[in-house]
Amino acid sequence: MTTETQTPEQIAKHYSAAMDSVNLINAGKPSTMTNENWTACLARNKEHLVIMLAKDYWTTENLAPLQAASV
């Protein structure tokens, strides 16, 4: 894997986006969403977290919430 060079600001944006996925997953299915759409939404967000966890630019960020929500 190639090391990605990211500024602290870029890393913070990546972490924030990943936490958006964590928060969406943890909030549960919205009442206005169909089960089919929720299943697809969960799959997309979990895949996003798996991709983000594979990045090698993390420094001191707490990745535990990302790991827990990605399973």
Side-chain angles (χ1 to χ4, degrees):
M1 178 178 359
T2 308
T3 301
E4 297 183 47
T5 303
Q6 300 283 313
T7 66
E9 293 80 15
Q10 289 170 314
I11 293 170
K13 286 182 182 180
H14 292 307
Y15 187 75
S16 178
M19 286 303 298
D20 287 344
S21 287
V22 168
N23 292 331
L24 183 142
I25 291 166
N26 290 340
K29 178 183 158 298
S31 61
T32 58
M33 187 177 278
T34 66
N35 288 338
E36 183 178 326
N37 285 343
W38 176 241
T39 299
C41 180
L42 274 178
R44 283 190 309 273
N45 282 277
K46 287 183 179 196
E47 180 62 23
H48 174 234
L49 293 176
V50 168
I51 291 166
M52 295 311 292
L53 285 166
K55 301 298 183 181
D56 62 0
Y57 47 67
W58 300 117
T59 56
T60 61
E61 296 77 19
N62 179 7
L63 299 181
L66 284 64
Q67 294 163 335
S70 70
V71 293

